[in-house]
Amino acid sequence: MPTSAVFTGLDWHPVHDARELVAYPFMQHALAAGTIVAVTAGVVGWFMVLRRQSFAGHTLSLTAFTGASAAGLAGVPVIAGYYLACGAGAVALAAASGSRRSLSRESAATGSVQALALALGFLFISLYHGLLSDLDSLLFGTFLGVTRDQVLVLLLVAAPTLALVAVAARPLLYASVDPDVAGAAGIRVRLLGLGFLLVLGISVAETAQITGALLVFALLVTPAAAAHRITARPVAGVAVSVALALAVTWTGLALAYFSVYPVGFWITSVAFAVYVVARAAT
Amino acid sequence: MLAQEFMRHALVTGSAVGIACGLVGWFVVLRAQVFAGDALSHVAFTGALAAAALGVDLRAGLFGATILGGVAIGGLGERARADDTVIGTLFAWTLGLGVLFLALFTTNGSATNGAAGVRVLFGSIFGLSTADVRTSVVLAAVAVAILAAIARPLLYASLDAGVAAAQGVPVRSLGLVFLALVGLVAAEATQAVGALLLLGLLAAPAGAAHRLTARPWAGLCLSGGFALASVWVGLTLAYVFPMVPPSTVIVSTAVAIYAAAMSLPSLGRLTRVNP
């Protein structure tokens, strides 16, 4: 397919195109929301990759779908459904996987929680008899309908979450790198583990509002994975992870704005390209 | 209930899928590769939608994608056991591609085709044709036969890869074959319970079996039995309560069995054998 058919909105003049990108309120909101989401996902994702909890992160991202569909059925705001379901999912995961001693036991527990969450989500969708397009945007996201209030809520939730991670960063790092030694040194490893899952749940609930439940994972795992390949130093790693997540989100949103293809495709593809480059370069 | 043809088809296919998932799932949990199974279920989604967008047979896309995906996941990791970050990164992008194919498919195809994405994601076990049933039974038999052929060395390699390799067991190629097998089963199960829910049949019955016994053969039997029971109970309940989608009941039953097994005291300590 020729480029001009894919990028129908672009007139190939950098200044003019950039100005058009921020001309409309809906696009300003999308970019603001994308920025908040990318910073949160970059920081939390870095710890998630360090703790090798990608599977848990993915499971929580699918719980977001359950929450949204349950909220739709109950007639409460979808945002409440996102946060409640992801919080409940985090607690369920922490309870089901126990002390993380056995890898195979944890993996079966996570898988079962995920299957149940999805099964319930599908049940709610079927009972709701909603439109198929609703299901698509729940799963794959939309950036067209972001309101000013939504951006404010995102900011209000993201700021304390990030502050919490900043306060707990040192013991969390210790507990993630060597849980046994950290436990012997008096750090409450299990409590930190539960706390981190809750933070992960909140980040997922935030990100899902923009990327949809199925694609949250791209923003959480891919920039963080690239950052871990680029540097092993914690502070630099988190910074790189956030920078990559921001670059991926902005590029993805811009490409989606000017092209005929969905934002989920662009964000995941740009993220994957970044990871491939990081892997090849290191 | 058995007088209805669609119900008989659903029971036969469901049983075949259940047994294959239960047996393969036991090894998936043993090797702590549930996340790889999760990834393959999403690859199945993208594969089926790619086939739909390109206008080729849905099943070709489904099986081609999952088996290739299994080999790719295995090939990327050490000893054909990829770490979760690599898997996560790969399949996040696979899903993105799936979205693209869905967009292409729904804009190019007719409006009624919009339901195809949902069918792939959540399955359509009550809408199977006689040919579908035959294919699913044959494929399940093939999967179980392959598993039976590699079961002994695979068990050895899963429990202690280092010692097995020193004894001449081809650990790496076994891992690749096993992931391809998981791909085959994932594609098979996608047709019955959908890409998003097959993890319930892969992880939950096997997790319950691992909790109850450490003996390999007893565990395999339990796992297959649990998966089969989930399918039967799920299909019956879905028939009685038509409001509820069958894949939801099947997966919920499997998870209920898992939860029950977790709350029981472990029998493993009583029956553990020293290999």
Side-chain angles (χ1 to χ4, degrees):
Chain A
M1 200 181 285
T3 331
S4 55
V6 176
F7 296 103
T8 45
L10 210 57
D11 60 4
W12 303 102
H13 186 294
V15 177
H16 185 258
D17 284 333
R19 205 172 284 157
E20 195 195 325
L21 197 58
V22 293
Y24 299 104
F26 84 89
M27 207 54 205
Q28 292 164 2
H29 293 158
L31 284 168
T35 306
I36 299 169
V37 161
V39 172
T40 320
V43 173
V44 177
W46 190 85
F47 280 101
M48 181 186 83
V49 169
L50 177 73
R51 295 170 62 82
R52 309 180 62 91
Q53 284 190 313
S54 302
F55 191 22
H58 181 236
T59 299
L60 284 175
S61 71
L62 295 173
T63 325
F65 161 69
T66 315
S69 54
L73 183 65
V76 297
V78 176
I79 295 183
Y82 275 130
Y83 288 118
L84 282 178
C86 290
V91 174
L93 274 183
S97 54
S99 55
R100 299 200 79 207
R101 283 271 174 243
S102 153
L103 202 58
S104 83
R105 194 181 145 187
E106 189 190 3
S107 112
T110 312
S112 302
V113 170
Q114 175 181 348
L116 184 65
L118 279 171
L120 289 177
F122 186 44
L123 173 68
F124 297 146
I125 286 278
S126 321
L127 293 177
Y128 184 50
H129 293 298
L131 294 168
L132 289 182
S133 61
D134 288 354
L135 179 59
D136 272 356
S137 67
L138 279 187
L139 288 172
F140 303 118
T142 169
F143 66 102
L144 291 176
V146 184
T147 60
R148 206 185 151 75
D149 291 345
Q150 224 175 330
V151 176
L152 276 176
V153 173
L154 278 179
L155 194 61
L156 281 177
V157 176
T161 310
L162 287 176
L164 199 66
V165 173
V167 169
R170 257 180 178 285
L172 183 62
L173 189 62
Y174 197 178
S176 309
V177 173
D178 196 332
D180 292 334
V181 177
I187 291 175
R188 307 186 58 184
V189 178
R190 284 201 69 164
L191 189 68
L192 268 178
L194 172 64
F196 179 71
L197 277 174
L198 280 172
V199 165
L200 191 58
I202 294 172
S203 326
V204 162
E206 291 222 304
T207 317
Q209 297 170 34
I210 308 299
T211 58
L214 280 184
L215 302 174
V216 174
F217 198 52
L219 266 187
L220 268 176
V221 75
T222 320
H228 274 278
R229 287 207 70 99
I230 291 170
T231 172
R233 297 169 50 178
V235 177
V238 172
V240 171
S241 176
V242 169
L244 289 179
L246 279 174
V248 163
T249 312
W250 289 340
T251 318
L253 280 173
L255 287 170
Y257 177 80
F258 289 116
S259 77
V260 294
Y261 295 136
V263 64
F265 164 68
W266 288 116
I267 288 189
T268 50
S269 297
V270 174
F272 188 67
V274 166
Y275 176 74
V276 168
V277 170
R279 210 182 147 94
T282 51
Chain B
M1 183 171 101
L2 291 173
Q4 309 277 357
E5 195 186 20
F6 78 91
M7 204 60 207
R8 283 202 304 273
H9 284 170
L11 276 171
V12 173
T13 298
S15 306
V17 167
I19 292 175
C21 277
L23 296 183
V24 172
W26 190 83
F27 279 100
V28 171
V29 171
L30 177 71
R31 297 166 64 83
Q33 285 186 320
V34 181
F35 192 40
D38 183 19
L40 286 176
S41 70
H42 290 76
V43 170
F45 168 69
T46 300
L49 284 179
L54 300 172
V56 294
D57 185 41
L58 205 80
R59 223 172 281 139
L62 196 59
F63 285 95
T66 49
I67 293 173
L68 273 181
V71 173
I73 287 175
L76 276 169
E78 299 270 306
R79 283 194 175 148
R81 298 180 91 151
D83 68 284
D84 59 344
T85 311
V86 175
I87 299 178
T89 310
L90 248 185
F91 95 81
W93 182 55
T94 313
L95 270 180
L97 284 181
V99 180
L100 172 70
F101 291 130
L102 186 65
L104 285 177
F105 178 53
T106 42
T107 41
N108 292 349
S110 64
T112 50
N113 284 342
V118 178
R119 269 191 56 173
V120 172
L121 282 173
F122 296 109
S124 54
I125 198 165
F126 282 160
L128 297 168
S129 70
T130 317
D132 291 338
V133 175
R134 201 173 304 134
T135 322
S136 71
V137 171
V138 170
L139 282 170
V142 169
V144 172
I146 296 176
L147 189 69
I150 63 168
R152 251 182 181 287
L154 183 66
L155 182 65
Y156 197 1
S158 309
L159 291 175
D160 196 331
V163 177
Q167 290 226 336
V169 176
V171 174
R172 203 184 149 77
S173 25
L174 266 178
L176 280 176
V177 170
F178 179 68
L179 278 172
L181 187 64
V182 177
L184 177 72
V185 172
E188 156 109 354
T190 299
Q191 296 178 301
V193 292
L196 285 183
L197 298 181
L198 73 92
L199 203 61
L201 280 181
L202 212 54
H210 275 279
R211 168 76 182 173
L212 292 178
T213 176
R215 288 165 180 270
W217 306 122
L220 275 168
C221 291
L222 266 184
S223 179
F226 284 156
L228 205 56
S230 313
V231 171
W232 287 347
V233 171
L235 286 176
T236 311
L237 286 177
Y239 182 78
V240 178
F241 304 104
M243 285 278 287
V244 185
S247 36
T248 299
V249 207
I250 294 176
V251 171
S252 307
T253 314
V255 175
I257 293 176
Y258 174 75
M262 292 311 278
S263 58
L264 286 175
S266 172
L267 303 177
R269 269 176 233 112
L270 305 176
T271 56
R272 189 182 298 277
V273 281
N274 290 318

